[in-house]
Amino acid sequence: AKDYELRQYETAKWVSTIIKAENQKEAMNQGFYKLFHYIQGKNEKEMKIDMTAPVTCLIKPGCSDIKISFFVPFEHQDSPPQPTDSDVFIEERKAAAIFVRSFSGFASPEKYAEEAEVLARTLRNRGQPFHEDFFYTAGYDSPFKLFNRHNEVWYFKK
């Protein structure tokens, strides 16, 4: 469709942390640094790992636990180094069909919520069944990139 796409993602490993915070921006900052330390060598192999995109954030409206994740690079998918920070963990996300809405600019928590609502409304209007109790935000750019930024919101297809 012109305002969203349906993607099929394969099973993959992500390095994640869950932050309990009153606001998403604070959680993203805390979570990002915990995961950044992991890829900078705070892992059992003291191995530096390339930064990947996207950085995802699991949002469950009404819940103060926010999960931030980095995709584990393909060369480490089989055996990613274990984190040494007890708040950081490796998770395997199962293959899934995901509805994706893309947008540009600097994304704030409010902008992500607004885009997620537009996607949810569009999917409901088109009779597309999806898991409405959570969504993911996905950011693809460094904070230093000023133009042509790419952001997404994801709902999992039922």
Side-chain angles (χ1 to χ4, degrees):
K2 76 174 177 30
D3 41 7
Y4 71 90
E5 59 184 293
L6 178 59
R7 293 186 194 149
Q8 179 64 42
Y9 281 95
E10 298 309 313
T11 298
K13 292 189 178 91
W14 295 71
V15 58
S16 302
T17 188
I18 295 173
I19 304 293
K20 189 180 271 309
E22 287 309 307
N23 72 63
Q24 185 184 337
K25 191 171 186 135
E26 180 186 316
M28 275 297 291
N29 287 340
Q30 287 179 30
F32 183 90
Y33 282 105
K34 282 188 173 291
L35 299 174
F36 187 74
H37 289 135
Y38 167 81
I39 66 170
Q40 287 298 298
K42 196 172 179 184
N43 57 64
E44 67 181 7
K45 295 180 182 169
E46 297 182 353
M47 177 188 291
K48 282 196 176 220
I49 300 168
D50 290 337
M51 178 75 202
T52 59
V55 174
T56 65
C57 187
L58 172 61
I59 305 295
K60 294 179 181 178
C63 179
S64 62
D65 287 353
I66 297 175
K67 181 168 65 175
I68 297 94
S69 306
F70 289 1
F71 180 76
V72 172
F74 292 109
E75 63 267 25
H76 299 293
Q77 280 286 316
D78 289 339
S79 64
Q82 288 304 305
T84 53
D85 180 338
S86 61
D87 291 339
V88 177
F89 57 95
I90 303 295
E91 67 169 324
E92 184 171 271
R93 294 188 194 165
K94 299 294 178 211
I98 299 176
F99 293 108
V100 178
R101 179 175 170 81
S102 301
F103 61 100
S104 60
F106 280 89
S108 63
E110 296 76 21
K111 180 67 173 163
Y112 276 125
E114 183 183 304
E115 294 292 336
E117 183 47 45
V118 169
L119 178 56
R121 191 169 42 246
T122 301
L123 294 173
R124 282 187 214 106
N125 289 344
R126 299 209 177 134
Q128 293 282 7
F130 65 100
H131 293 277
E132 297 191 38
D133 53 333
F134 69 92
F135 65 91
Y136 279 90
T137 67
Y140 286 82
D141 302 305
S142 143
F144 307 108
K145 182 174 181 180
L146 301 179
F147 302 103
N148 301 315
R149 296 179 63 80
H150 184 82
N151 313 288
E152 297 174 348
V153 289
W154 299 352
Y155 275 109
F156 282 55
K157 184 175 181 175
K158 274 190 177 173

